[in-house]
Amino acid sequence: MKLSSRTKIVGALGLAGLVLVTLIMSPMLMTGFPSFLGGELPDCEDITQQDEQASENATADIPADYLALYQKFGKKIGVQWTILAAVGKRETDHGRSTLPGVQSGTNYAGAAGPMQFLVSTWGGAKRIPIPSKFNGYASDGDDDGWADIYNPADAILGAAKMLKRNGAPENVRRSLFVYNRAWWYVDQVEEIARKYAADGQVKVPPQADASCDDPVIAAAPSDVVGRILAYALDQRGKPYLWGGTGPDAFDCSGIIYMAYRSVGLSIPRTTFGQWPFGVKVPDGQEQPGDLVFFDAGPGTAPDNPGHVGMVVSKGKMIEARCRLCGPIKVTSYRGRDAIVGFTRPLENATVKDQLAKIKSSL
């Protein structure tokens, strides 16, 4: 079997073993990280081909106002606009269908509007004032203060959010299956999306490609951080499980706990314990291996964050977000709401003692 370059890197790190662990003790390595801050890494950013050119098929088939909305909200939310448009085509022919539930009422399954949301999935009512508290994807795409299930702007924005939460842009097929639980539906939507793209492809962001892991690991500020990142990245694609610490599923703090444990370091198990444990890092000075915290989840607050991810490169983190948010993946933390702050567990005195003991045992 031919080994990938990433496998070789991880293998080399493993062979180096604890001998290279002592590199983490170097102040120079902990304070300087030119590759991360200087932009020397290849472009593995969270681009989702939002600027994918529309094919002649797309411009001929999609009404101009709908095409603009698909492209606008695909880019805003971070999903392929071609997939978003293909859903609109498959569901209601971009709102042109005259079947029940498209312009008014609901269809036989209880779905309504151009993107065919179940009223319960939308938020419990067809028209919801914004802002207000509701459990669903109701969105105000035209900023008129209402989330109207029949309004194309509102419905397309809501559909983009639903696709994003369930795996897009990385795992498009999973996100489509959640949208309509039939694999023939997934196949049909992907086929339409390919026809809408000028190059005939449904592209995924480079960060979904394991080849982007190689430079991230190689550019880590130390061997220890490189091996922590390698472990975390290897869990990508696995499902979220509350309380999970692997090997098959993890929760947000569980994947971080096990990544540090994989190199012989012990940190707190839960988000609530991890937040006060690491040394606080100013925004903009975070490095790979650091943790980024969010005021998200039940019982959380700005001084008691309930969600955490691990920084893997500039602006990017790996996270296990929630059961309905799709698999473990690399996402952007820039632009995310409710960021509380960053910490560096490797600067905790207890972890430094652990590293010192490892060094003395060599």
Side-chain angles (χ1 to χ4, degrees):
M1 179 177 68
K2 184 178 179 181
L3 295 177
S4 67
S5 57
R6 176 168 178 246
T7 302
K8 293 176 182 177
I9 289 175
V10 176
L13 290 169
L15 290 173
L18 296 177
V19 174
L20 292 180
V21 169
T22 56
L23 291 177
I24 195 67
M25 305 302 290
S26 167
M28 179 181 70
L29 287 174
M30 288 306 297
T31 58
F33 192 18
S35 294
F36 176 54
L37 299 178
E40 296 176 16
L41 297 179
D43 184 12
C44 289
E45 290 295 295
D46 185 17
I47 58 174
T48 57
Q49 310 303 330
Q50 301 98 332
D51 296 325
E52 175 71 59
Q53 295 298 308
S55 66
E56 292 183 4
N57 183 299
T59 56
D61 185 50
I62 306 172
D65 56 342
Y66 271 73
L67 178 58
L69 291 171
Y70 293 136
Q71 293 177 327
K72 174 184 177 180
F73 292 127
K75 183 173 185 178
K76 179 178 180 179
I77 301 303
V79 300
Q80 296 90 337
W81 75 261
T82 52
I83 289 292
L84 192 57
V87 170
K89 173 66 175 180
R90 179 61 184 77
E91 293 292 346
T92 67
D93 192 20
H94 311 300
R96 291 177 295 212
S97 172
T98 58
L99 291 174
V102 178
Q103 309 298 332
S104 63
T106 61
N107 68 6
Y108 69 93
M115 302 304 283
Q116 291 292 277
F117 272 97
L118 294 175
V119 175
S120 58
T121 304
W122 184 248
K126 299 171 186 175
R127 199 163 184 261
I128 298 173
I130 300 296
S132 63
K133 292 184 178 180
F134 57 90
N135 183 22
Y137 292 99
S139 303
D140 181 12
D142 59 359
D143 298 319
D144 67 351
W146 289 90
D148 186 341
I149 202 169
Y150 301 107
N151 182 295
D154 297 354
I156 290 170
L157 176 55
K161 291 178 179 178
M162 185 173 181
L163 292 170
K164 177 73 172 182
R165 180 168 187 177
N166 291 301
E170 294 89 353
N171 195 334
V172 171
R173 291 184 63 80
R174 182 188 186 281
S175 69
L176 290 172
F177 184 79
V178 174
Y179 202 97
N180 189 328
R181 294 181 180 276
W183 289 114
W184 57 261
Y185 175 89
V186 174
D187 294 338
Q188 288 183 5
V189 170
E190 284 195 314
E191 182 180 358
I192 296 169
R194 285 191 289 271
K195 292 178 180 178
Y196 283 166
D199 62 3
Q201 299 181 46
V202 175
K203 296 181 179 178
V204 298
Q207 67 189 38
D209 187 341
S211 64
C212 281
D213 298 353
D214 294 355
V216 167
I217 295 170
S222 70
D223 170 67
V224 167
V225 173
R227 291 194 290 133
I228 289 171
L229 294 178
Y231 178 93
L233 290 168
D234 279 344
Q235 313 316 311
R236 188 174 50 198
K238 294 181 180 180
Y240 174 94
L241 176 66
W242 187 83
T245 54
D248 298 322
F250 299 81
D251 66 9
C252 66
S253 56
I255 185 175
I256 292 168
Y257 170 76
M258 292 303 295
Y260 275 82
R261 186 174 174 179
S262 73
V263 297
L265 300 177
S266 179
I267 67 172
R269 161 65 186 87
T270 69
T271 305
F272 300 120
Q274 290 172 2
W275 168 242
F277 182 80
V279 173
K280 301 298 187 293
V281 178
D283 186 3
Q285 296 184 27
E286 68 274 10
Q287 297 179 351
D290 291 348
L291 308 185
V292 53
F293 292 85
F294 301 83
D295 178 11
T300 67
D303 60 348
N304 192 38
H307 181 60
V308 62
M310 181 190 295
V311 176
V312 297
S313 66
K314 188 175 182 179
K316 302 294 165 186
M317 65 178 173
I318 186 164
E319 64 170 339
R321 190 169 183 180
C322 72
R323 184 178 60 83
L324 297 177
C325 299
I328 295 170
K329 59 185 175 181
V330 175
T331 61
S332 174
Y333 56 80
R334 291 303 175 197
R336 283 273 287 272
D337 294 335
I339 292 181
V340 173
F342 302 86
T343 71
R344 186 165 299 156
L346 290 171
E347 287 295 311
N348 177 276
T350 302
V351 173
K352 287 185 174 182
D353 287 342
Q354 294 172 21
L355 288 168
K357 289 178 182 179
I358 292 172
K359 180 180 178 181
S360 65
S361 68
L362 295 177

